[in-house]
Amino acid sequence: MSEQPMRPILTDFADGVLTITLNRPEKLNAFTEAMLVQLREALAEAEADAKVRALLLTGAGRGFCAGQDLQARHSTSAPDLGAVLETHYNPIVRLMTGMPKPLVCAVNGVAAGAGANLPLACDIVFAAKSAAFVQAFAKIGLIPDTGGSWQLPHALGLPRALALALLAEPLSAETAARWGLIWKAVDDGELMEQARAAARQLAHGPTFGLGLIKRALRQSPARSLDEQLDTERDLQRIAGRTPDHAEGVRAFMEKRRARFTGEKS
Ligand code: LHQ
């Protein structure tokens, strides 16, 4: 029997949740071009598929993701890294942050370089207490990418963002949670259970409305309070007309659990 080639991106759909697993465990899930292409395809399909109401991103083995595969790149002497970002990483970050459904991330181990910043494009990040985030870029003369140069100062403020990026020291999951970079650091043995429970809860929620929440919050750092009040007015008008809003209110009045369809109308 011939051996099946290992797929670098695994997907599994259950209970409204699409789980995407980075799967090159022997290289700490460092990104090859094939992996980036498959990840982008999986995200685009998830966005288009109404059955997928939440996503869960994680890594196989002891690492989450060690960023760009540095060995795969070694054959080219002067690669255009801007083109690599434009072709692969930036569209992935835009797909994740712009996706009108929630993304949960379970950081199961070390997350370095692009692999440290990919979780920051997810909406709710759980990390195993043994995991660490390493802005490894400075060690190889690069700058934080995959959205890191935006996410870090916004989440942490400039002093912490600058020190992390310049010193490239590992940031433990617990400190990342304490500093507000991620949602929670949890015991290793509980990581997947907690992340799956959150993803399942979201998948049974008012998906269209959750997408509007995400849109409102994600655009707010670029806007003034005045502009954001206008956004709240516009998005609440849309949310208020959804069947899930009506069902949520009905369920509250009838003292029962809401049965959300996730649909816009
Ligand atoms: C790896 C990698 C890796 C290949 C571990 N590549 N094999 C850049 C360019 C282009 C455009 C887009 O953006 C970017 C952004 C980037 O992501 S640049 C940053 C790339 N990543 C790094 O610089 C991190 C490099 N890795 C490390 O510093 C360490 O491996 C960490 C701190 C992640 C983990 O350390 P350890 O736990 O001690 O594991 P290890 O170093 O022994 O790694 C295990 C294996 O994984 C090993 O393979 P081997 O065959 O020797 O057992 C490593 O070579 C391999 N690996 N990262 N990025």
Side-chain angles (χ1 to χ4, degrees), residues 24-31 36 62 65-73 79-85 89 110-116 134-140 142-146 170:
R24 265 188 96 214
E26 73 288 358
K27 297 292 177 190
L28 303 178
N29 304 318
F31 275 121
L36 290 162
R62 74 173 174 93
C65 176
Q68 173 74 16
D69 187 309
L70 297 173
Q71 279 152 359
R73 274 198 36 218
D80 177 355
L81 299 189
V84 177
L85 294 182
Y89 288 88
V110 67
V134 197
Q135 296 295 323
F137 308 90
K139 286 191 180 167
I140 53 171
L142 296 182
I143 70 154
D145 60 20
T146 318

Side-chain angles (χ1 to χ4, degrees), residues 39-122:
L39 175 60
R40 187 174 168 185
E41 281 170 2
L43 290 166
E45 281 169 24
E47 174 162 354
D49 186 348
K51 291 193 299 304
V52 175
R53 291 175 63 183
L55 289 93
L56 173 59
L57 177 67
T58 192
R62 74 173 174 93
F64 172 73
C65 176
Q68 173 74 16
D69 187 309
L70 297 173
Q71 279 152 359
R73 274 198 36 218
H74 217 62
S75 50
T76 326
S77 52
D80 177 355
L81 299 189
V84 177
L85 294 182
E86 193 59 25
T87 309
H88 296 295
Y89 288 88
N90 290 357
I92 286 172
V93 171
R94 290 189 175 112
L95 260 172
M96 291 166 75
T97 53
M99 178 143 349
K101 34 191 135 186
L103 265 101
V104 176
C105 188
V107 182
N108 52 297
V110 67
N117 292 334
L118 197 66
L120 308 183
C122 295

Side-chain angles (χ1 to χ4, degrees), residues 62-246:
R62 74 173 174 93
F64 172 73
C65 176
Q68 173 74 16
D69 187 309
L70 297 173
Q71 279 152 359
R73 274 198 36 218
H74 217 62
S75 50
T76 326
S77 52
D80 177 355
L81 299 189
V84 177
L85 294 182
E86 193 59 25
T87 309
H88 296 295
Y89 288 88
N90 290 357
I92 286 172
V93 171
R94 290 189 175 112
L95 260 172
M96 291 166 75
T97 53
M99 178 143 349
K101 34 191 135 186
L103 265 101
V104 176
C105 188
V107 182
N108 52 297
V110 67
N117 292 334
L118 197 66
L120 308 183
C122 295
D123 303 311
I124 302 181
V125 183
F126 292 85
K129 282 187 183 162
S130 67
F133 296 81
V134 197
Q135 296 295 323
F137 308 90
K139 286 191 180 167
I140 53 171
L142 296 182
I143 70 154
D145 60 20
T146 318
S149 69
W150 188 90
Q151 301 278 9
L152 294 171
H154 276 86
L156 303 177
L158 209 46
R160 282 172 170 165
L162 277 167
L164 280 176
L166 291 170
L167 297 173
E169 283 178 10
L171 180 72
S172 73
E174 285 176 282
T175 306
R178 208 169 49 248
W179 285 4
L181 188 64
I182 63 167
W183 171 233
K184 271 183 190 174
V186 302
D187 288 337
D188 287 23
E190 289 177 16
L191 175 72
M192 291 315 294
E193 199 183 311
Q194 289 205 31
R196 273 196 205 104
R200 267 199 305 269
Q201 178 190 325
L202 293 164
H204 287 90
T207 312
F208 181 77
L210 299 183
L212 294 181
I213 292 177
K214 180 169 166 173
R215 196 160 121 198
L217 269 62
R218 284 206 172 273
Q219 69 182 36
S220 87
R223 307 211 169 177
S224 67
L225 172 61
D226 216 39
E227 290 167 325
Q228 196 61 17
L229 288 172
D230 287 346
T231 296
E232 290 179 5
R233 175 203 59 211
D234 295 343
L235 298 186
Q236 200 71 301
R237 181 173 289 139
I238 299 170
R241 290 179 178 146
T242 58
D244 279 346
H245 168 57

